[in-house]
Amino acid sequence: MTGTKSILVIGGSSDIGHATALRYAKEGWRVTLAARDLAAAQRNADDIGTRSGVDTTVQSLDVLQTGQLAGFVAGLSVLPDTVVCVVGELGDQLRAQTDPELATTIMRTNFEAPSLLLEQFAQAFEARGSGTIVGVSSVAGDRGRASNYYYGAAKAGFTQFLSGLRNRLALAGKVRVVTVKPGFVRTKMTAHMKLPAPLTVQPDRVAEDIYRADVTRPRDVIYVARRFWLVMAIICALPETIFKRMRI
C-alpha cells in the first residue's frame, strides 16, 4: 500500500513488543518484528496478522552480536518510519553479584547493544531527514537500588544515551527520539515477581502510550504508570544517608 507507514519492533518476541506492534498494525502500519527467538516472534506475527489483517514479517536479530548491527540496518528492504526497541533482560541480581558473565549480559543487553543499534538507525534517519526512535528504558534507571543495581545501572545508561541522542538529533530534520519508562509490567519477564497492583500495568497500556507519544501526542519522555513519576521523584529526592538504609 503506497504511503502506508512502517514500524520495526526490536524485541518482537516479547510481550511489550507484541502489544506495541499490534497497536500500530490496528492503525494500518506495516509491521516487522526483529528477534533472536524467531519461533516466538513468528507466533506474535501470526497473531497480529489474524487480529489486524496486516501481514507482519519477521527478521532474525541478536543485538548482542554488535558487529552485525550496521549490516542489519543497511540490509533492510525498507527503512521504517518508526523503530521501537523493547530489548531488555532483568536477570538475577544475586547471581550477577558473583557471576561476571551474567552481569555482563545484563549490562550489554539493556545498554550497550540497544544503544549501538539505535545509533545506526539514528544515522539512517538523519540522512533521510525523518523517523522516530523509541527506546524502552525503565524507572529502575532513575536511582540505583540494592535489589537490581546491575539492571538499573544499565537502564540508567540507556536513558542517558537516548537523552543525548535526542539532543543531537533535535536539529536533524524531523528525527525524533522518545524515552519510555514503564514501571512494573505484567510480562513473562516479571511472572515470578509479586507486583504492586497500583503501580503495575499491562503490556497493551505500554503499547498505547508508545503510540500516543509517537503519533497522536508527541512526547520526549514518558512514564507509563503515571504514579511512578511521583514515586521516583520522591525516591530520587531522598538524602543518601536515609536512602542507603532502605530496602527497596
Side-chain angles (χ1 to χ4, degrees):
M1 294 180 291
T2 302
T4 301
K5 289 190 174 183
S6 61
I7 180 174
L8 170 66
V9 178
I10 310 296
S13 62
S14 68
D15 294 333
I16 295 176
H18 178 203
T20 300
L22 178 60
R23 178 66 183 88
Y24 279 78
K26 287 181 176 179
E27 298 296 331
W29 287 53
R30 294 194 307 270
V31 175
T32 300
L33 305 179
R36 180 174 54 186
D37 187 343
L38 281 180
Q42 188 60 59
R43 288 193 294 272
N44 286 347
D46 293 342
D47 178 73
I48 291 167
T50 299
R51 296 169 65 182
S52 70
V54 172
D55 289 334
T56 301
T57 59
V58 172
Q59 292 206 12
S60 176
L61 175 65
D62 182 352
V63 296
L64 294 181
Q65 300 299 316
T66 54
Q68 301 176 12
L69 299 182
F72 172 81
V73 176
L76 292 172
S77 58
V78 176
L79 185 64
D81 295 283
T82 292
V83 58
V84 178
C85 182
V86 301
V87 171
E89 175 61 46
L90 183 60
D92 184 319
Q93 172 65 34
L94 289 178
R95 278 186 54 207
Q97 290 167 205
T98 57
D99 184 344
E101 185 174 344
L102 175 59
T104 298
T105 297
I106 293 171
M107 292 187 287
R108 292 193 65 219
T109 303
N110 291 291
F111 172 39
E112 177 193 274
S115 297
L116 292 174
L117 175 59
L118 294 184
E119 178 63 45
Q120 295 297 320
F121 279 105
Q123 293 175 20
F125 287 172
E126 190 173 20
R128 184 177 63 187
S130 66
T132 301
I133 292 170
V134 180
V136 177
S137 188
S138 173
V139 298
D142 286 5
R143 189 165 190 177
R145 295 177 293 130
S147 60
N148 65 356
Y149 58 80
Y150 276 107
Y151 175 79
K155 286 299 190 182
F158 189 45
T159 294
Q160 294 308 313
F161 168 81
L162 293 168
S163 177
L165 188 63
R166 180 164 47 248
N167 186 215
R168 178 171 79 78
L169 295 174
L171 300 178
K174 298 181 180 179
V175 181
R176 297 181 54 239
V177 177
V178 181
T179 303
V180 179
K181 295 183 179 183
F184 297 116
V185 184
R186 295 192 186 281
T187 66
K188 293 186 291 289
M189 190 171 74
T190 61
H192 64 288
M193 301 171 63
K194 185 177 181 180
L195 304 179
L199 296 176
T200 303
V201 298
Q202 299 291 338
D204 57 357
R205 169 66 181 278
V206 183
E208 180 62 34
D209 281 10
I210 287 174
Y211 183 81
R212 288 179 181 176
D214 177 19
V215 180
T216 62
R217 188 184 175 191
R219 301 274 298 279
D220 293 325
V221 180
I222 60 171
Y223 284 80
V224 175
R226 303 291 189 268
R227 297 181 182 89
F228 249 117
W229 179 87
L230 178 59
V231 170
M232 295 313 299
I234 294 171
I235 289 176
C236 290
L238 290 172
E240 196 68 19
T241 52
I242 296 174
F243 182 74
K244 67 183 182 182
R245 292 182 173 86
M246 300 177 67
R247 293 183 178 275
I248 59 175

